[in-house]
């Protein structure tokens, strides 16, 4: 049986809370690209900061 893919915060490769790194792992992207995209999202609309904080509380940390 294959292991189910789950969205978790990657606390091993984190800058703040590991949200961007976890999203990058889930979608198979580079974490730097996700971080740059998130900064642009935050600068253009301002809601990126609120979205990051919500994700940091909702997305569970990856078990070690």
């Amino acid at each position: 049986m294959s292991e189910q893919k789950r969205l978790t915060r990657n606390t091993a490769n984190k800058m703040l809370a590991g949200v961007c790194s976890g999203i990058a792992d889930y979608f198979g992207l580079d974490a730097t690209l996700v971080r740059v995209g998130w900064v642009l999202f935050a600068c253009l609309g301002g809601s990126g900061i609120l979205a990051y904080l919500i994700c940091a509380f909702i997305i569970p940390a990856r078990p070690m």
Side-chain angles (χ1 to χ4, degrees):
M1 198 163 21
S2 66
E3 187 176 325
Q4 185 177 2
K5 195 173 184 183
R6 293 187 48 145
L7 177 60
T8 57
R9 289 184 292 120
N10 185 353
T11 56
N13 183 18
K14 68 177 186 174
M15 290 287 192
L16 295 174
V19 173
C20 292
S21 180
I23 290 171
D25 288 345
Y26 184 78
F27 289 109
L29 301 170
D30 184 32
T32 305
L33 293 176
V34 176
R35 288 177 182 130
V36 168
W38 206 286
V39 168
L40 290 174
F41 179 55
C43 290
L44 293 178
S47 60
I49 297 168
L50 179 62
Y52 189 91
L53 292 173
I54 291 170
C55 287
F57 286 108
I58 292 176
I59 300 173
R62 178 177 297 160
M64 297 217 167

